């Protein structure tokens, strides 16, 4: 068997490699080239319990109600019988205050936990602007309604495949300044053994301007230069990772969006990990340049021209129908009542 055949599809990672990808680890190093972020920790002891509790509801006192009515007043005055709401004892006044201060400073925020953001929970928010949170309740509800963030609540999931069986970590809440940015300029970069091997378009949509004769080369050169100058020697001990970046409008500079572990559950997008392994092997023979992949035509097999993001995580149509004409509190009550009736019918 040749040496190349012995190279596994995935590099062996350590517990530190996973920790290096949590936002509190990398953001302080790269705050000058990333979006503004406030990291809140430690969080209240009951915060994890709140996120794991049944039902989707905001903690008491977190709603910026226009009429001054608190969420618990809504619960007492509603006709629903949502047991999870009626038994809601979660309240985080100090955290609410911190979140409000950050929102006042940033205008609006995009929340995430240590590693994951609630990108599958847009349906719970009352805005069409993607995950734009303008109150503590928005932040809590987006996290509460998300399946994605449960990855961060469970150590066996967060550290899946890592040999250390008992990782210890504290939950943290990151509030990132909300921006409206063009997702066509977002790229995912794959680094293995301190070599930038692949760059993939992040948004699986065909953009004709990306497929001009010079654009792939421009993207590669900008990212390669930036990575060599600002990331490679600053990131830390981890030699293999995935970094998401956002190119500026002139494609001459970029901002760091996030870091992810080089593992199977990190989406390879327009690559496969077998292909990335082959590219990594070829990178050992100079000259080498990172492989750039973009959606090059509307019929590309990965092009989701009309498909919404995270469509497999979206709210069911029945729940969407229940939400029509209702505010958040009424919708929560109606949804809980519908679930209770369904459970009774199937009992």
């Amino acid at each position: 068997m040749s040496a190349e055949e012995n190279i596994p599809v995935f590099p062996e990672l350590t517990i530190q490699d996973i920790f290096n990808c949590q936002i509190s680890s990398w953001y302080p190093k790269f705050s000058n080239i990333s979006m503004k972020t406030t990291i809140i920790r430690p969080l209240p002891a009951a915060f994890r319990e709140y996120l794991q509790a049944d039902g989707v509801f905001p903690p008491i006192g977190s709603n910026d109600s226009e009429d001054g009515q608190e969420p618990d007043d809504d619960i007492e005055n509603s006709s629903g019988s949502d047991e999870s709401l009626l038994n809601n004892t979660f309240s985080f006044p100090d955290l609410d205050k911190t979140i409000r201060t950050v929102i006042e400073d940033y205008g609006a925020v995009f929340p995430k936990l240590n590693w994951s953001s609630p990108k599958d929970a847009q349906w719970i928010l009352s805005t069409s602007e993607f995950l734009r949170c303008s109150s503590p309740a928005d932040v809590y509800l987006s996290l509460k309604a998300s399946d994605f963030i449960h990855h961060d609540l469970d150590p066996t999931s967060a550290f899946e495949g890592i040999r250390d069986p008992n990782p210890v970590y504290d939950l943290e809440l990151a509030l990132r300044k909300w921006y409206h940015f063009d997702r066509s300029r977002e790229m995912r970069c794959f680094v293995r053994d301190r070599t930038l091997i692949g760059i993939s378009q992040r948004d699986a949509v065909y953009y004709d301007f990306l497929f001009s004769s010079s654009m792939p080369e421009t993207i590669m050169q900008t990212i390669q230069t930036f990575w060599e100058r600002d990331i490679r020697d600053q990131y830390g001990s981890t030699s293999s990772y995935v970094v998401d970046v956002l190119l500026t409008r002139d494609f001459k500079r970029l901002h760091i969006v996030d870091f992810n572990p080089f593992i199977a559950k990190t989406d390879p997008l327009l690559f496969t990990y077998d292909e990335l392994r082959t590219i990594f092997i070829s990178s050992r023979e100079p000259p080498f340049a990172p492989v750039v992949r973009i959606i090059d035509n509307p019929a590309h097999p990965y092009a989701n021209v009309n498909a919404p993001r995270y469509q497999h995580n979206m709210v069911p149509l029945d729940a969407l129908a229940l939400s029509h004409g209702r505010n958040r509190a009424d919708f929560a009550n109606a949804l809980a009542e519908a679930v209770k009736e369904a459970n009774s019918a199937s009992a």
Side-chain angles (χ1 to χ4, degrees):
M1 182 179 292
S2 68
E4 292 181 355
E5 290 177 325
N6 283 328
I7 296 175
V9 174
F10 297 99
E12 184 174 342
L13 301 185
T14 67
I15 188 172
Q16 189 59 50
D17 293 329
I18 305 301
F19 277 129
N20 285 347
C21 289
Q22 69 178 354
I23 191 165
S24 62
S25 296
W26 65 260
Y27 179 75
K29 301 175 185 177
F30 302 111
S31 59
N32 62 319
I33 49 175
S34 185
M35 61 189 70
K36 291 183 179 180
T37 301
T38 297
I39 299 169
I40 304 172
R41 58 178 186 173
L43 294 171
F47 190 70
R48 186 189 296 263
E49 182 184 351
Y50 160 71
L51 293 178
Q52 293 176 321
D54 291 338
V56 179
F57 54 89
I60 296 169
S62 64
N63 230 332
D64 290 340
S65 178
E66 293 181 356
D67 60 5
Q69 188 180 43
E70 294 289 349
D72 48 336
D73 296 327
D74 289 336
I75 296 167
E76 292 170 359
N77 296 332
S78 69
S79 57
S81 57
D82 180 359
E83 185 175 349
S84 64
L85 282 172
L86 291 172
N87 292 331
N88 176 20
T89 60
F90 295 102
S91 179
F92 309 114
D94 292 338
L95 182 56
D96 294 346
K97 182 178 179 180
T98 301
I99 294 173
R100 287 188 175 101
T101 299
V102 175
I103 290 174
E104 183 178 353
D105 184 25
Y106 290 170
V109 297
F110 177 100
K112 70 174 295 178
L113 298 182
N114 303 49
W115 297 276
S116 306
S117 57
K119 294 180 180 179
D120 56 330
Q122 173 62 31
W123 62 271
I124 198 68
L125 299 176
S126 58
T127 175
S128 60
E129 296 175 302
F130 187 63
L131 281 187
R132 186 180 190 275
C133 296
S134 56
S135 71
D138 286 347
V139 171
Y140 296 132
L141 285 172
S142 64
L143 295 170
K144 197 80 170 70
S146 173
D147 290 331
F148 287 3
I149 63 96
H150 283 274
H151 163 274
D152 296 18
L153 304 180
D154 180 7
T156 61
S157 178
F159 295 88
E160 181 180 359
I162 305 302
R163 291 183 177 180
D164 189 323
N166 297 304
V168 177
Y169 64 99
D170 294 322
L171 206 60
E172 57 194 37
L173 173 62
L175 301 177
R176 317 202 72 185
K177 183 173 181 177
W178 188 91
Y179 297 92
H180 177 76
F181 63 83
D182 186 351
R183 296 195 73 239
S184 67
R185 293 183 276 109
E186 191 176 4
M187 301 289 157
R188 172 158 287 184
C189 311
F190 299 86
V191 177
R192 182 159 183 180
D193 196 17
R194 293 176 58 81
T195 301
L196 177 61
I197 59 173
I199 300 168
S200 172
Q201 179 181 331
R202 188 82 171 84
D203 191 24
V205 174
Y206 172 66
Y207 298 100
D208 55 0
F209 72 90
L210 285 180
F211 199 60
S212 67
S213 58
S214 61
M215 187 57 72
E217 178 71 15
T218 297
I219 291 172
M220 187 275 291
Q221 289 184 353
T222 297
I223 293 178
Q224 175 87 352
T225 299
F226 176 90
W227 176 76
E228 290 178 350
R229 184 189 66 213
D230 296 325
I231 299 180
R232 182 178 58 189
D233 297 329
Q234 285 75 37
Y235 182 58
S237 59
T238 298
S239 61
S240 300
Y241 52 89
V242 179
V243 56
D244 294 333
V245 300
L246 177 67
L247 290 155
T248 55
R249 291 183 180 88
D250 59 7
F251 287 87
K252 294 180 179 179
R253 297 175 296 110
L254 53 82
H255 304 284
I256 294 174
V257 177
D258 205 2
F259 284 89
N260 297 281
F262 198 112
I263 53 178
K265 59 187 174 185
T266 297
D267 193 340
L269 299 175
L270 303 183
F271 294 97
T272 67
Y273 277 109
D274 285 326
E275 289 174 328
L276 288 168
R277 173 186 177 275
T278 300
I279 295 168
F280 171 63
I281 292 171
S282 69
S283 72
R284 298 181 167 192
E285 297 294 332
F288 171 79
V291 176
V292 179
R293 289 199 177 165
I294 61 175
I295 303 291
D296 55 10
N297 67 80
H300 191 287
Y302 286 177
N304 296 322
V305 178
N306 297 313
R309 281 175 287 174
Y310 316 112
Q311 57 185 336
H312 56 292
N313 292 93
M314 287 187 172
V315 63
L317 287 174
D318 290 347
L320 186 62
L322 280 173
S323 70
H324 184 68
R326 292 183 167 96
N327 60 31
R328 276 196 297 244
D330 290 341
F331 167 60
N333 289 333
L335 181 60
E337 187 65 27
V339 170
K340 181 179 292 185
E341 290 177 0
N343 290 338
S344 298
S346 61

